[in-house]
Amino acid sequence: MPDPTPNKPQQPKPASPRQSGEMGIDPVMAELVKSSAQATSKTCQQCKAFLQPNAVICTTCGYNLQTGKTMGTQVVREKAPKAAKSPSAASNFENPLTAETPWVFFIVYLVLGIAPGVLLMNESTEQFGYVAAGIFSLASLVLAIFMLVVAFRESMAQGLAIIVCWLLSCLIVPAFYILYYIFFKTEDPRIKGGYAGLVLGYLITLFLAWDKLAALRQ
């Protein structure tokens, strides 16, 4: 006699890890996919940026996941290092009157020394020649004071010796000592360059306008 109770459909049993592997799904890979999905599912509540699993502060907007407050953020860009300049090149560019630039003093005093002779050669510019001669004399005084300052910086005795030689400059020996100090003894090349241009410019002016300068002295 047949059973009147209808047959119930049987529920499929969950596949065992071994059976899953046989069906082409590796249990280890399935666990990695699951953990990866959990890691990437963490986002910032404020800007929705993806965060690391152990992140506490969003680096995009500064939102603190624990306190619920937003912190100020600032992006700091590292500047590219500049090429280092040599000390002499940097000093020459920033200050052309350093000890490494005696040629500047030479050119300045050479131009100031030649200018009176060139202007005195022409009658139309003769008055300007006398003005240029006065400027050259004033510049010579400034250079002499600068030399005295350098001499005192080197030593007190050296500065006093320069003053004594100035007072006795009418004599030949003190005058020659000043020239010896300028061109051979001092360690500051600016003095050498300045006086080299001064002497050369003065000699050129004497050659160009000797008659006018002689008349001026009389």
Side-chain angles (χ1 to χ4, degrees):
M1 184 174 181
D3 189 2
T5 305
N7 295 329
K8 296 181 180 180
Q10 297 182 356
Q11 297 291 334
K13 296 181 180 181
S16 63
R18 182 177 179 182
Q19 291 175 348
S20 299
E22 293 176 354
M23 295 175 62
I25 302 175
D26 191 352
V28 178
M29 291 298 297
E31 187 66 25
L32 290 175
V33 171
K34 182 179 179 180
S35 61
S36 177
Q38 292 176 353
T40 57
S41 63
K42 186 175 182 180
T43 57
C44 176
Q45 300 178 8
Q46 180 167 293
C47 67
K48 307 302 179 183
F50 289 104
L51 304 176
Q52 295 294 331
N54 56 349
V56 178
I57 299 175
C58 176
T59 57
T60 303
C61 64
Y63 181 76
N64 192 319
L65 279 70
Q66 294 181 350
T67 61
K69 298 180 179 180
T70 302
M71 303 174 60
T73 58
Q74 182 179 3
V75 178
V76 179
R77 297 181 179 178
E78 184 178 359
K79 297 182 179 179
K82 297 182 179 179
K85 297 181 180 179
S86 61
S88 60
S91 61
N92 293 351
F93 179 77
E94 296 173 358
N95 184 8
L97 302 181
T98 58
E100 291 81 10
T101 57
W103 54 270
V104 175
F105 287 78
F106 175 79
I107 294 175
V108 169
Y109 279 92
L110 178 63
V111 172
L112 291 176
I114 296 176
V118 174
L119 295 174
L120 289 173
M121 290 177 63
N122 194 340
E123 294 182 359
S124 61
T125 59
E126 185 176 350
Q127 298 297 327
F128 296 101
Y130 294 130
V131 174
I135 295 174
F136 178 65
S137 301
L138 182 61
S140 302
L141 178 61
V142 171
L143 184 60
I145 295 174
F146 176 67
M147 179 189 65
L148 182 62
V149 172
V150 173
F152 271 106
R153 286 182 178 179
E154 292 177 355
S155 66
M156 180 65 69
Q158 186 63 69
L160 294 176
I162 295 296
I163 293 178
V164 172
C165 289
W166 275 352
L167 297 176
L168 301 177
S169 58
C170 57
L171 303 177
I172 298 177
V173 175
F176 273 109
Y177 178 79
I178 293 177
L179 293 177
Y180 168 74
Y181 170 78
I182 291 172
F183 293 105
F184 299 101
K185 192 172 183 180
T186 182
E187 298 179 356
D188 196 322
R190 293 173 292 186
I191 296 177
K192 301 179 187 295
Y195 274 99
L198 184 147
V199 173
L200 182 59
Y202 181 71
L203 293 177
I204 295 174
T205 291
L206 288 179
F207 176 77
L208 295 176
W210 171 260
D211 297 336
K212 300 290 181 64
L213 293 176
L216 182 62
R217 290 180 179 181
Q218 294 178 358

